Amino acid sequence: MTATISVNGSSADYPVHAGSVGPEVIDIRKLYGNTGRFTYDPGFTSTASCESKITYIDGDQGVLLHRGYPIEQLAEQSSFLEVAYLLLNGDLPNQQEHDEFKYLITRHTMVHEQLATFYRGFRRDAHPMAIMCGVVGALSAFYHDSTDIHDPKQRTIACHRLIAKMPTIAAMAYKYSVGQPFLYPDNSLSYTGNFLRMTFGVPAEPYVINPVVEDALDKIFILHADHEQNASTSTVRLAGSSGANPFACIAAGIACLWGPAHGGANEAALEMLREIGRPERIPEYVARAKNKDDPFRLMGFGHRVYKNYDPRAKVLGAAATKVLDTLGISDPVLDTARELERVALSDDYFIEKKLYPNVDFYSGIILSAIGFPTSMFTALFALARTTGWIAQWTEMMEDQDQKIGRPRQLYTGHGPRDYVPLAQRG
Ligand code: ACO
């Protein structure tokens, strides 16, 4: 199939590629050569930047598939480490592959001892994401033997290192902020159990893992593992397209994730719910969200791709009740969240604009119940998303069609003009 694009009466045909599921794409790579025109798509709302086999989203139906598997099934039946294997390798592992992968990841959980001194350069009140940006970027200075992007073996080692070390790095960021000693990883624990211990354990006594908490956090990690070509993943791909090493690319992804319109929304959503405080104040905040002159938005609501309920928010809404019940926590924030969801979803503004709760709406309530400060929320997102970033980066590196990413622009500045010496300027 082709699509005909006509510019000033001159037409040309462009190939239309079909994906395995989802909309077809018009291949406009020859458009500029044929017409001397670029396409204009700020925010990439109609632009596919790459071909990928990893994750599929149907935003209208609220469907999210990783390598074909629905996210609900993975969240219910799989583990984060298995999902990491799936994203990286394309299929679920058999028992032997699973055990080998677990062994490989656990062999990389420690960080270079000198990296600990790196933390001490940060102020105690540094945001964990500021630390994560710096420390993850610095890994390229510590692991020279996995920065040759043209060597597939080194690429694989870098992937394993990043997945394995992120919990250690995130837990150290937390420990540093509260002034407690860093804990070394315990490889006898699960990926998530080990992270919980490194975060909340202390050297003075054994740490007992609550299986409900471990399970809930593992679910959160699964739900955040990948999400197609979102802003941070596209940042990782763009950074990688220039040939930058994987540690630097993931640091770029972390920087992008930090923003409140993206990964920073889970922190902002819980802060908003706390500020609302009680269900009676909801109408005031809903009115603000609808007011064009007020920059306030309902955090944890709306999504560029989902125009239906985010399937991840559904899983987390149920998990929030379970975790709070099991831990015996009665948090009014959960009641406020449920009521806000009810009010918003029956309000014409939100219905018309198809604004539903997204993954960030309930995750903060669970993370807070587990004991994480809000400043750690986005760091946890980064920990989990590293798996998706690195799988997408690997896919790009193996793509023969891969080119440096270089968008063009609609220039609206001055035309050519002559330099005027300082003394002659009015
Ligand atoms: N509250 C109130 N109004 C909203 C909200 C919201 N949360 N989200 C979007 N809208 C409105 C906009 O004002 C806009 O209205 P208009 O058409 O009258 O101008 C319309 O809905 C479309 O919004 P856009 O910003 O154009 O949509 P976009 O796809 O660019 O933005 C985004 C998506 C950034 C997620 C947006 O919905 C938002 O800011 N949400 C709050 C932050 C958030 O929760 N981010 C997390 C996203 S999930 C993730 O990154 C893991």
Side-chain angles (χ1 to χ4, degrees):
M1 196 207 279
T2 56
T4 307
I5 298 178
S6 167
V7 180
N8 271 352
S10 146
S11 297
D13 288 340
Y14 297 86
V16 175
H17 305 303
S20 39
V21 266
E24 294 168 337
V25 301
I26 304 169
D27 183 340
I28 51 146
R29 278 178 286 187
K30 295 215 164 77
L31 184 79
Y32 180 64
N34 288 346
T35 68
R37 264 89 173 178
F38 301 131
T39 55
Y40 181 59
D41 185 16
F44 311 121
T45 50
S46 292
T47 298
S49 60
C50 62
E51 183 184 328
S52 180
K53 293 182 169 54
I54 300 176
T55 291
Y56 173 74
I57 304 173
D58 181 334
D60 293 325
Q61 299 301 318
V63 170
L64 168 59
L65 309 175
H66 290 323
R67 303 285 191 184
Y69 295 101
I71 191 67
E72 296 86 348
Q73 290 182 24
L74 293 173
E76 206 45 56
Q77 299 173 50
S78 188
S79 69
F80 177 70
L81 217 48
E82 191 177 63
V83 171
Y85 182 96
L86 174 70
L87 291 170
L88 275 171
N89 298 289
D91 281 306
L92 287 169
N94 61 29
Q95 189 65 52
Q96 190 192 339
E97 288 163 339
H98 180 275
D99 296 348
E100 276 170 14
F101 186 64
K102 185 161 192 279
Y103 177 83
L104 277 171
I105 297 298
T106 42
R107 287 304 154 294
H108 285 295
T109 48
M110 292 204 308
V111 292
H112 195 289
E113 200 59 22
Q114 252 180 295
L115 205 72
T117 57
F118 205 87
Y119 281 76
R120 301 204 164 89
F122 287 96
R123 280 171 52 141
R124 282 278 173 206
D125 59 356
H127 194 285
M129 285 297 276
I131 298 182
M132 301 281 284
C133 286
V135 171
V136 174
L139 291 177
S140 24
F142 286 88
Y143 300 103
H144 297 285
D145 58 343
S146 52
T147 51
D148 179 357
I149 55 160
H150 301 295
D151 178 350
K153 247 199 189 138
Q154 290 202 27
R155 291 204 299 263
T156 305
I157 296 171
C159 291
H160 294 160
R161 280 190 167 137
L162 277 157
I163 293 171
K165 292 184 199 306
M166 284 302 276
T168 316
I169 290 169
M172 287 169 80
Y174 173 72
K175 283 298 193 204
Y176 185 71
S177 72
V178 291
Q180 289 182 1
F182 299 141
L183 252 64
Y184 288 119
D186 179 345
N187 289 345
S188 68
L189 301 174
S190 73
Y191 184 87
T192 302
N194 173 47
F195 173 64
L196 280 167
R197 183 187 152 275
M198 286 190 293
T199 306
F200 297 119
V202 286
E205 54 192 57
Y207 178 74
V208 181
I209 294 169
N210 179 333
V212 174
V213 168
E214 185 182 16
D215 180 60
L217 190 58
D218 204 65
K219 266 198 183 53
I220 289 183
F221 287 166
I222 293 173
L223 296 170
H224 287 83
D226 191 48
H227 211 229
E228 206 225 61
Q229 307 311 320
N230 56 83
S232 57
T233 302
S234 298
T235 301
V236 169
R237 279 189 180 254
L238 197 55
S241 77
S242 73
N245 73 68
F247 304 108
C249 295
I250 300 303
I254 292 171
C256 178
L257 186 75
W258 195 358
H262 191 9
N266 53 13
E267 188 176 340
L270 187 66
E271 275 161 7
M272 176 196 75
L273 289 169
R274 284 192 178 139
E275 191 186 307
I276 296 175
R278 42 183 209 281
E280 305 85 83
R281 296 188 64 200
I282 287 171
E284 179 195 328
Y285 283 83
V286 168
R288 283 188 62 195
K290 289 158 60 175
N291 182 355
K292 280 255 156 284
D293 300 324
D294 189 332
F296 175 77
R297 285 186 169 199
L298 283 190
M299 300 312 285
F301 256 81
H303 197 275
R304 169 59 64 78
V305 182
Y306 292 118
K307 302 302 167 201
N308 200 325
Y309 213 110
D310 180 339
R312 303 167 301 171
K314 260 191 199 147
V315 177
L316 286 177
T321 309
K322 189 174 167 196
V323 171
L324 267 66
D325 282 354
T326 314
L327 295 178
I329 295 174
S330 152
D331 189 344
V333 158
L334 184 58
D335 300 331
T336 308
R338 295 246 183 260
E339 181 58 10
L340 178 58
E341 178 185 338
R342 194 193 63 72
V343 171
L345 294 187
S346 50
D347 187 298
D348 284 349
Y349 174 93
F350 292 88
I351 295 169
E352 273 160 27
K353 294 189 189 306
K354 299 186 178 168
L355 299 169
Y356 292 84
N358 61 46
V359 67
D360 296 315
F361 193 63
Y362 285 108
S363 63
I365 297 173
I366 303 177
L367 293 175
S368 169
I370 294 175
F372 291 103
T374 46
S375 61
M376 274 299 285
F377 291 2
T378 316
L380 298 179
F381 193 158
L383 182 170
R385 184 55 59 85
T386 294
T387 307
W389 288 333
I390 205 68
Q392 301 267 354
W393 174 83
T394 302
E395 183 178 66
M396 184 188 72
M397 296 310 297
E398 290 169 357
D399 183 350
Q400 300 301 318
D401 274 351
Q402 189 263 323
K403 276 178 186 296
I404 185 167
R406 176 56 169 95
R408 301 303 300 266
Q409 63 177 6
L410 170 65
Y411 178 71
T412 52
H414 278 287
R417 50 181 177 163
D418 291 324
Y419 179 84
V420 180
L422 184 58
Q424 293 167 28
R425 284 176 227 156

